[in-house]
Amino acid sequence: KEKKRFSPVFLNGLYAGLGAFFGLSLIGLLAQSVNQMLLIAPFGATAVLLFSAPESQFSKPWNVLVSYTLSTIIGFLILQFTNGQWFAIGVGFGIVILAMHIFKAIHPPAGANFLIVTQGHLSFYLLWPLLVGLLALIIIGIGVDKARKKIL
């Protein structure tokens, strides 16, 4: 009987770790080349989901792209049309969750992005680097998942 060298838990963790390394490193490299902020904290949580739980509904590309886009746009609208105080933030965050349900695009880390936009009073420029970073993570996530399934 042949003994396996590495456990599936170790190999899945290795793939997840390498995927996160390549995904966040690519975003960092892109950020450095264009001298823009592309690495944001919620991307860490997104990387955990994409690379450690690729089968989760929360990890589907639609959910990731749409939920971040919704939370960012709603955050900008809240800042544009309200005073940005606690009540407006609460209402806005509730709208983000409602919109995620309506669009069937729930991705929990995107909720944090709404708070980054509203608490940092960020401008609409955040949308393009956000999409670039998300596309990089999603593409690498799909590639890592395909490689993992082929080898494991």
Side-chain angles (χ1 to χ4, degrees), residues 61-81:
W62 169 264
N63 291 28
V64 175
L65 281 173
V66 171
S67 64
Y68 269 101
T69 303
L70 289 169
S71 69
T72 302
I73 291 171
I74 293 167
F76 291 133
L77 292 173
I78 289 296
L79 288 178
Q80 185 71 32
F81 295 107

Side-chain angles (χ1 to χ4, degrees), residues 99-113:
M100 286 183 190
H101 280 271
I102 289 170
F103 284 92
K104 294 183 169 78
I106 298 171
H107 182 69
N113 194 60

